[in-house]
Structures are given as structure tokens and as C-alpha cells.
Amino acid sequence: MSAKLRNTLLYLLLTLFALTALIPFLWMALTSFKPLEEVEKLNPVPTVWHPENYRKVFEQISFARYYFNSLFIAAWVTFLTCLTSSMAAFAFARLQWRQCDNVFRLYLATLMIPGVVTMIPNYTLMVKLHLLDSYTGLIVPSAFSAFGTFLLRQFLLTIPSALDEAAEIDGANKWQLFWDVILPLARPGLITLALFTFMGNYGSFFWPLVMIKSEHLRTLPTGMLFFDSTYGRQTNLLMAASLMNIVPLIVLFIASQKFLVRGIQMGAVKG
Amino acid sequence: MTTPPTRPQNSRRARERHDLWVAIGFLLPNLLGFLLFTSGPVLFSLVVSFSNWNLQQTVPFRWVGIENYVQMLHNSEFWLYTINTFYFLLGMPIAVFGSLFLAVLLSQKLRGIVIFRTLFYLPSFTSGVALMILWKSLYNPDFGLINAAIRHVSDLLHLGITPPEWLLSTKNVLGLDVERVAVNRAQWGMGARDAIIIMGIWMGIGGNNMLLYLAALTNVPQELTEAGELDGASSWQVFRHIVWPQLAPTTFFILVMSFIGGLQGGFEQARVMTNGGPAGTTTTLSYHIYTKAFEEFQIGYASAVSWALFALIFVLTLVNWRFGNKEVSY
């Protein structure tokens, strides 16, 4: 087989798969501009474009509020997770203490615990603490990550230990060593963890679903579910809302591909 | 500088102890979170699974021993949901080998390959409630895009195919009966369970597993593949006998993780797309736990099912590990 023919075949296959990935998104985008009568017709492109569908979404449900809640909660969880994970990772990777490795193994073992097992007790805990239906209850339980600790520990281990000694000779204490020396060097690892945590929590569904009772706390996924079950027939508006839901993810992904792809590949090397 | 150049010998012990307290300080926030939201709850849910605790408090609280577990095993619904949970794993081999196939395509040195990688990854990083709502529309039996396409092709080629009812149908490719554990020819076809599997493959095939395979493929030493080519092996032979064994650790990792994830899965799909129906055929164990706990408030019973699921995952992962490690060593 000549190289040219082979490349043409490869491009054909790649394009075929790319189209399979893309067509549902295209259908979503085109439907979001259709009038309701045309949703169930087969013309792919709307005969008359209705950009006001997007405005209607904001009028019918508090979509802006859902956006804000999702971003606000995901941002807080991301900040707290990065802080607690990097501190724990620092203890595991840069401090000498007995049982360090054993405690770390224990941490890793908790990664195996399925979410469904901890969900019910966490929910009853929130009920007892009167944190149901509150930002605190939505944010705090998600702010501790064994995966994050693991990821950052692997990253911190690659930073030369000569730095610690140099800092110590300069009279830095451990907190200064952590905050002023190690954290700035760990920035790529932190960015990766931040991206994972943010994307994961932006789309998180189960916890907000059981925690939220009032309208003003709804996040995008729970808000979408509400929109779907209450105004289910308005497929064009639903598609507009879905598209607006995923746009921040697409922007974030394109802006940070390098970190995400490397992070996924790094996380599994030692796995 | 007044510090002596060499530290006295006795300081290592002292330093370790000193570091211990510092380490505890650094671990504290994360550790507290863990005790409160992970390890504590796991034990709590085990304890609660031996009680009849109901959040609505119509029944007085009492310890019931293993009654919840007995009730669970005698409940035919529980077995249907367990079968459903395993049924959804049927998509796993297709998804994993599909990811490998896409990774092999992407590892070719071609122009613009990063664009394809991004497009393949798109369904995976945007997956979630929004895309499930999208697929619910695509699967609409009368007006959805998928059946429109099937009808179009069928008319064009005069095939006379009746498109599946998708999310409304209890049919499945294995022809499993809904009421009892048996095969029923009338149930043979495509239905809700298959629809969810197909969507899952679409969402997952170009995702993290593909990226893991891509990284593993670039790590295969070039001398090995070149040596194979010099010996006159075809590209398939090079892949089968040289590249594939090198990928074994990655394949093992992906299979174990997909397996663990798969057994816990199906909640979002059921909640967003089907409410577990039709006739409970898309209710997985995790959705069953959700409805028991958060719609019927039977915390005790739901905890028992969640521990059964935990035990199932744990045992099967151990089996995988023993069996898989043997396979991986080459």
C-alpha cells in the first residue's frame, strides 16, 4: 500500500469517527435555534433562525442563577481541595516521619470506597448539622480528595530535595518551605488538579440533587433536570440550555489541553 | 553562618519526631475531612445497615440484625437490578477496545492530529446531565434523530426495518426476560438498556482511556517495532505480538478501573433519562440505593444494599487483581 493511499484511508477513518462525535452536538446547536414546530421535522437547518430561544431560557428559569451557583460552588471546592491536598501531599512527599508510607497507603485504599456508601451517612450528617440546602453543605464535603493528595504527592516527589536543605539553611520554617518554595514549583501539578476538580464539580449531580431543596441554590445539572421535567416539550429551549451548560467546559478545555492531557497520563503512570 | 557544618548524630531521631508533629499539622485539614466524610461514614453506614432506621420516623428505631440483608436477597427486584448492573458492563469491552483503536489511529504521524484528538475527547469532557438530556431527544422513537436516520436508510435500501423504541422498550440484545431470570425470544431486540450502553460508548470511547492508551503507545520502544518490521512481520503481527503485550499494564489498569466504575454506575442515566424504567430495566444498584434512601427514606435498607455493592466490588476487584496480574506478567 502506498503511503499516500494509506494516509487517505487514515484521514477517512478519523473523519468518520470525528463526525460520529460531532453530529449530536451539531444537532443540539441547530435545534436550539429552531422554532418549536420545527424540532420534530427533519430539516437539519432551521428555516427561520430564532436566537431569542436563548433569551427565553433565561426568562423561563433562573438560568443565570444556576450558572452562578455552579461556578461559585465549583470554584470554592477547587480552592479548598487544592489547599488541603497540597498540604497533605507536602507531608507525604517532603517530611520525614515514621509510618509515612503506611498512612499514605491507607489514603490510597480509601480511593476504592464507592461514593454510594458514603453518600447516605454524609446526607444524614448534613441533616444533623442543619447544613441541608446551604452553600456550606454543598461545598465542604467535597473539599477533601484522596486522588488530589495522590496526584500532588507524585508531583512533589519529582522536585529536588536539595531545595529543602537550602531553604532550611536560609532559616525557613516548614510552612515557609511549603508556601514560598514548594508550592510555586508545584504550579503545573496544582493547575492539573484544579482543572480536574473544577470540571468534576461543575458537572456534579448526585450531591446537589439530594442536598438542594430551594430554587435559588440549584446548580446547572439539577436546574437542567428541573427544566427538563417541568418544560419537557420545549426541546429547542432545552437544547439551548444544554449548549450553554457545556460551553464553559469547552472553553476551559481548549485553554488548558496541555495540562489536562498530561495530567491524565501522569496520574496513571504510577497507578 | 553560625550553624555547624555537620549535625550531631542524635538529631535524626529528634528530627523525625519534630517532623511528625509538623506532618500532623499539614495533614490535619485533609485528615479531618476524611474522618468526617469518608472513613466515618463507611463505618456508620455498616452499623446503620443493621437497623430499620427510617428518616420519616413513622416506625420506632430498632436494631434488626441481618434482616435488611435477608430481605434484600429475597427481593426479586434486587436481583433484577443486579442483572441490570452487570448488563451495563457489556459495553465495556467495546469501549476499551474502541479506545485502543482510536489511540492507534491518533498515534499515526499525520498533520492536524491534535484537532482529531480534541474532537474525539469532546463527548467525554462535556459528558453529564446536559448531554443525557440531548440523547434523550436523539432516542425519541418517533421524532428523534437516530430513528429518523434508521428509517431513512431503511427506505432508501427497501429494508423494511422497524426502528427500536429505545428508552421505552424492555427489549435487549440478550433477550433477557424482565420477570424472571430466563431468556425470552419476545424480548430479543434493542431497548432502553442497549440505548444507555450505546450512549456510554459514545461518551467514553474518546475519553481518558484513549489518552492513556495514546501515552502507552508512545512509550513502546521503537527498537522493538523496528526489529519486528526488519524481520518481515506485517503491521498486524507487529501490533499483536510486540505492541499489544507492551500495553498489557495499561489494559489491566483500564479494565479494573472501568469495572469498578461500571458497577457503581447508571445513576445519572436512570435519574435523567428513564427514572429507572421501563419496568425497572435501567435501574442499577446505585439508582436503587438512591430511590430507597432519598425517595422512600429507608436509610437502614439502603445502607445494607450499598454495603452489598461495596462488598461485590471489593471481591470482584480482588479476583481481577489475582487473575489479571498473572496475565500481565510477560
Side-chain angles (χ1 to χ4, degrees):
Chain A
M1 204 180 342
S2 76
K4 205 169 173 194
L5 182 65
R6 182 174 165 275
N7 282 357
T8 315
L9 277 175
L10 278 171
Y11 274 121
L12 263 173
L13 264 177
L14 285 164
T15 311
L16 187 76
F17 284 117
L19 279 179
T20 315
L22 268 183
I23 283 171
F25 289 101
L26 284 177
W27 186 85
M28 170 165 75
L30 290 168
T31 305
S32 74
F33 287 104
K34 281 182 172 181
L36 189 56
E37 319 81 78
E38 263 181 42
V39 167
E40 292 172 353
K41 301 228 175 79
L42 280 177
N43 55 321
V45 180
T47 46
V48 187
W49 290 70
H50 288 269
E52 76 274 11
N53 283 350
Y54 284 82
R55 203 193 60 230
K56 279 192 200 154
V57 171
F58 285 92
E59 286 167 4
Q60 293 198 357
I61 51 173
S62 343
F63 201 74
R65 184 82 210 179
Y66 304 162
Y67 244 128
F68 170 80
N69 286 339
S70 275
L71 296 172
F72 179 77
I73 292 165
W76 264 107
V77 172
T78 305
F79 169 72
L80 292 173
T81 302
C82 284
L83 186 70
T84 58
S85 302
S86 59
M87 284 174 70
F90 178 78
F92 285 126
R94 313 298 293 196
L95 297 175
Q96 281 90 39
W97 45 292
R98 270 191 284 168
Q99 307 298 334
C100 172
D101 290 343
N102 287 335
V103 175
F104 181 65
R105 264 181 224 122
L106 208 69
Y107 255 67
L108 275 190
T110 61
L111 279 173
M112 282 218 308
I113 299 170
V116 281
V117 179
T118 54
M119 275 306 169
I120 298 170
N122 279 340
Y123 174 78
T124 54
L125 181 68
M126 292 296 129
V127 175
K128 288 274 178 280
L129 294 175
H130 300 287
L131 286 176
L132 220 59
D133 217 21
S134 73
Y135 281 122
T136 318
L138 285 166
I139 293 166
V140 174
S142 316
F144 311 95
S145 160
F147 169 74
T149 307
F150 168 68
L151 189 83
L152 287 180
R153 173 188 177 265
Q154 302 305 92
F155 198 87
L156 293 191
L157 285 175
T158 63
I159 298 173
S161 64
L163 283 170
D164 301 30
E165 285 149 30
E168 210 169 317
I169 290 168
D170 286 349
N173 63 30
K174 293 294 183 196
W175 177 260
Q176 286 165 329
L177 171 67
F178 167 68
W179 194 255
D180 296 328
V181 181
I182 301 295
L183 266 197
L185 288 169
R187 194 176 291 157
L190 276 174
I191 294 177
T192 306
L193 176 62
L195 286 167
F196 279 135
T197 315
F198 189 88
M199 289 173 115
N201 277 280
Y202 178 81
S204 118
F205 180 55
F206 192 113
W207 192 239
L209 184 70
V210 298
M211 285 288 291
I212 299 169
K213 299 285 167 278
S214 44
E215 153 95 35
H216 72 278
L217 280 174
R218 271 195 204 120
T219 57
L220 280 174
T222 48
M224 291 285 305
L225 183 73
F226 166 75
F227 192 31
D228 180 38
S229 49
T230 337
Y231 303 86
R233 307 308 300 267
Q234 295 173 294
T235 308
N236 51 348
L237 300 194
L238 262 174
M239 291 305 122
S242 297
L243 195 68
M244 287 193 279
N245 190 338
I246 63 172
V247 161
L249 291 173
I250 296 176
V251 172
L252 196 65
F253 178 76
I254 289 172
S256 60
Q257 268 206 60
K258 200 176 66 184
F259 289 104
L260 273 172
V261 172
R262 201 199 294 146
I264 291 158
Q265 297 177 342
M266 189 176 73
V269 171
K270 298 272 163 60
Chain B
M1 186 80 58
T2 50
T3 328
T6 47
R7 287 172 162 277
Q9 270 300 318
N10 69 349
S11 78
R12 196 183 147 73
R13 257 256 143 97
R15 240 172 68 107
E16 271 197 1
R17 194 166 305 137
H18 177 66
D19 268 12
L20 178 67
W21 287 109
V22 181
I24 290 176
F26 273 99
L27 279 176
L28 204 60
N30 208 327
L31 205 61
L32 277 180
F34 256 143
L35 293 177
L36 209 55
F37 300 117
T38 306
S39 46
V42 171
L43 295 177
F44 182 78
S45 106
L46 180 64
V47 172
V48 166
S49 74
F50 297 110
S51 80
N52 73 340
W53 191 17
N54 189 313
L55 271 189
Q56 284 180 318
Q57 291 165 339
T58 42
V59 199
F61 179 93
R62 81 192 151 84
W63 297 105
V64 296
I66 59 164
E67 201 177 282
N68 285 327
Y69 292 92
V70 174
Q71 192 194 333
M72 176 184 88
L73 295 176
H74 281 109
N75 187 344
S76 64
E77 283 186 342
F78 170 78
W79 293 107
L80 172 65
Y81 303 152
T82 308
I83 290 171
N84 293 341
T85 306
F86 280 97
Y87 189 94
F88 284 128
L89 295 181
L90 287 178
M92 206 173 87
I94 306 170
V96 172
F97 286 108
S99 295
L100 174 60
F101 184 71
L102 292 186
V104 170
L105 283 182
L106 289 179
S107 69
Q108 309 297 317
K109 289 177 185 64
L110 291 171
R111 254 167 206 268
I113 206 83
V114 177
I115 297 171
F116 285 105
R117 190 187 70 189
T118 309
L119 290 179
F120 290 179
Y121 198 48
L122 183 69
S124 155
F125 73 84
T126 52
S127 70
V129 173
L131 290 193
M132 288 176 191
I133 290 175
L134 162 66
W135 274 82
K136 208 164 95 173
S137 298
L138 296 180
Y139 276 133
N140 185 306
D142 302 317
F143 311 111
L145 185 67
I146 291 172
N147 277 3
I150 292 176
R151 273 194 216 101
H152 189 72
V153 172
S154 168
D155 288 352
L156 211 64
L157 305 172
H158 306 290
L159 297 174
I161 297 173
T162 321
E165 296 265 284
W166 296 119
L167 295 173
L168 305 178
S169 160
T170 58
K171 287 183 180 171
N172 56 85
V173 287
L174 295 185
L176 296 178
D177 201 285
V178 179
E179 300 293 324
R180 43 207 179 93
V181 185
V183 174
N184 176 349
R185 286 194 66 180
Q187 286 294 323
W188 197 82
M190 290 275 229
R193 292 188 267 205
D194 309 293
I196 285 176
I197 290 178
I198 292 168
M199 180 186 76
I201 292 172
W202 179 82
M203 280 183 183
I205 200 167
N208 294 350
N209 294 343
M210 182 189 76
L211 293 181
L212 291 178
Y213 268 131
L214 200 53
L217 282 169
T218 48
N219 286 338
V220 173
Q222 259 196 327
E223 305 90 70
L224 285 179
T225 50
E226 276 164 11
E229 276 157 17
L230 279 180
D231 288 346
S234 68
S235 1
W236 168 251
Q237 283 170 327
V238 170
F239 179 80
R240 174 69 189 83
H241 298 289
I242 298 171
V243 178
W244 172 245
Q246 293 279 324
L247 296 178
T250 309
T251 305
F252 178 61
F253 176 78
I254 289 175
L255 282 175
V256 169
M257 295 312 281
S258 317
F259 193 74
I260 296 176
L263 287 175
Q264 294 179 49
F267 168 74
E268 291 192 7
Q269 293 87 328
R271 184 69 187 78
V272 177
M273 301 173 76
T274 60
N275 282 320
T281 47
T282 57
T283 301
T284 59
L285 288 175
S286 69
Y287 186 66
H288 178 52
I289 295 165
Y290 164 83
T291 50
K292 282 289 171 197
F294 298 104
E295 284 172 7
E296 297 170 29
F297 303 107
Q298 300 181 26
I299 301 292
Y301 182 77
S303 298
V305 182
S306 78
W307 259 85
L309 177 61
F310 185 20
L312 184 73
I313 291 171
F314 190 75
V315 169
L316 291 177
T317 306
L318 280 186
V319 172
N320 264 345
W321 212 262
R322 293 201 69 152
F323 174 73
N325 271 340
K326 229 179 277 164
E327 295 282 294
V328 167
S329 51
Y330 45 86

